[in-house]
Amino acid sequence: MKLQNYSLVSEFVLYGLCTSRHLQHLFFIFFSGIYVASVLGNLIIVVTVISDSHLHSSPMYFLLGNLSFLDIWLASFATPKMLRDFLSDRKLISFGGCMAQIFFLHFIGGAEMVLLVSMAYDRYVAICKPLHYMTMMRRQTCVGLVLVSWVIGFVHSISQVAFTVNLPYCGPNEVDSFFCDLPLVIKLACMDTYILGILMISDSGLLSMSCFLLLLVSYTVILITVRQRTAGGVSKALSTCSAHIMVVTLFFGPCIFIYVWPFSRFSVDKLLSVFYTIFTPLLNPLIYTLRNKEMKIAMKKLCNHHVTSH
């Protein structure tokens, strides 16, 4: 059968998280709360960093504000559609909407990975080269790091979508997830996509593993450097970097498992997908605010200012 004789698929059917109507109504209430908390939590961090002159001028909080901005988008690229589908009998998504979900997932995910590496570099300079911190992490450098993260995320995402959108889809259109993800969508193409799938998923796996290894090296160098300089310095460094390490573990764990560990199969575990796309954006603001005294003080000031102004 020639390629031009294929009938193009105009929409995809999403299986969602479950088929039970009762469970879907419970999930709607639960995940609605999680989504609102994620967006509000990250939005509060962004507003706090922008409104507080001390935090806004600090490289660490400037990068944190950008991380929260990305987390708002990570929580929003698929969750609103999933919530609406919980109340729908047929869970449909247009071809363009499906490609958009793939694009935003890889764009935001790729940018966030690189940004986490930038945040690790910021901690390395702050702990290992404190006298040169403000020189090495001046505003132009921070803006450059953020721009690089966005550019890498964009290039990575475009490389994924460019191949996916041009594949021939002629019949099967059922995606066994609550959103369109690359491994599941390319399996629906009417051609042998094994080699192409290996290359495309290797792209995501390579980006994930490269960033994760850079992060491991950064934090290892920090601990070794501090240990050589001061007694008891390792515990202090761990206390300073613990929030970053927790976020890195929670963010990269599911991602690496999905794109690297099951290398011979392209099925995506729904539980990991839920954690990666819904819970991680919520955990980031919780981790950074509950363990950060400066952020809590700035939030109180912002709240008090808002109350007194009214």
Side-chain angles (χ1 to χ4, degrees), residues 114-304:
V114 179
L115 188 61
L116 285 169
V117 174
S118 300
M119 295 176 74
Y121 174 71
D122 169 75
R123 291 300 83 204
Y124 163 75
V125 176
I127 294 172
C128 299
K129 301 180 184 293
L131 298 178
H132 305 285
Y133 180 63
M134 294 312 296
T135 304
M136 295 178 67
M137 294 301 295
R138 59 186 183 272
R139 179 46 59 95
Q140 294 94 320
T141 304
C142 294
V143 172
L145 290 172
V146 171
L147 288 176
V148 166
S149 70
W150 282 68
V151 169
I152 291 177
F154 181 79
V155 172
H156 163 68
S157 184
I158 284 293
S159 69
Q160 303 285 306
V161 174
F163 285 107
T164 309
V165 75
N166 289 314
L167 290 174
Y169 300 94
C170 60
N173 67 338
E174 297 175 337
V175 179
D176 187 15
S177 186
F178 61 94
F179 70 97
C180 288
D181 196 16
L182 184 69
L184 298 176
V185 173
I186 61 175
K187 286 199 306 181
L188 302 177
C190 299
M191 60 177 287
D192 184 4
T193 58
Y194 181 78
I195 300 299
L196 180 61
I198 290 287
L199 292 174
M200 294 172 73
I201 292 176
S202 295
D203 184 9
S204 296
L206 180 63
L207 180 62
S208 303
M209 286 302 298
S210 299
C211 291
F212 186 66
L213 290 175
L214 282 172
L215 288 162
L216 284 180
V217 170
S218 298
Y219 290 120
T220 301
V221 170
I222 288 173
L223 296 178
I224 292 173
T225 303
V226 174
R227 184 180 180 181
Q228 291 173 345
R229 286 183 181 176
T230 58
V234 174
S235 60
K236 184 179 179 181
L238 276 174
S239 176
T240 306
C241 299
S242 58
H244 296 269
I245 294 171
M246 288 173 67
V247 168
V248 166
T249 304
L250 293 170
F251 184 85
F252 280 91
C255 189
I256 289 175
F257 188 88
I258 289 170
Y259 288 105
V260 178
W261 182 251
F263 218 71
S264 61
R265 62 184 181 86
F266 295 153
S267 61
V268 179
D269 190 295
K270 290 183 184 180
L271 181 62
L272 287 174
S273 298
V274 168
F275 187 85
Y276 177 71
T277 59
I278 299 173
F279 286 102
T280 301
L282 173 65
L283 292 173
N284 286 358
L286 287 177
I287 291 169
Y288 280 113
T289 53
L290 293 178
R291 298 183 59 87
N292 193 301
K293 187 177 179 181
E294 283 185 290
M295 181 62 72
K296 286 191 284 188
I297 291 172
M299 285 180 174
K300 285 180 182 177
K301 283 170 59 180
L302 180 65
C303 183
N304 291 335

Side-chain angles (χ1 to χ4, degrees), residues 52-113:
D52 189 287
S53 57
H54 171 65
L55 297 185
H56 190 60
S57 61
S58 168
M60 183 179 81
Y61 293 106
F62 175 78
L63 295 175
L64 174 59
N66 280 276
L67 179 68
S68 291
F69 179 74
L70 287 174
D71 275 333
I72 292 172
W73 287 100
L74 182 61
S76 301
F77 87 95
T79 308
K81 174 73 171 74
M82 179 188 73
L83 294 175
R84 190 179 71 181
D85 285 345
F86 282 141
L87 306 178
S88 303
D89 292 327
R90 295 202 70 199
K91 302 166 176 55
L92 302 176
I93 185 170
S94 67
F95 182 86
C98 186
M99 295 302 115
Q101 283 192 341
I102 293 174
F103 172 79
F104 282 113
L105 172 62
H106 289 270
F107 177 30
I108 300 161
E112 190 157 330
M113 288 178 192

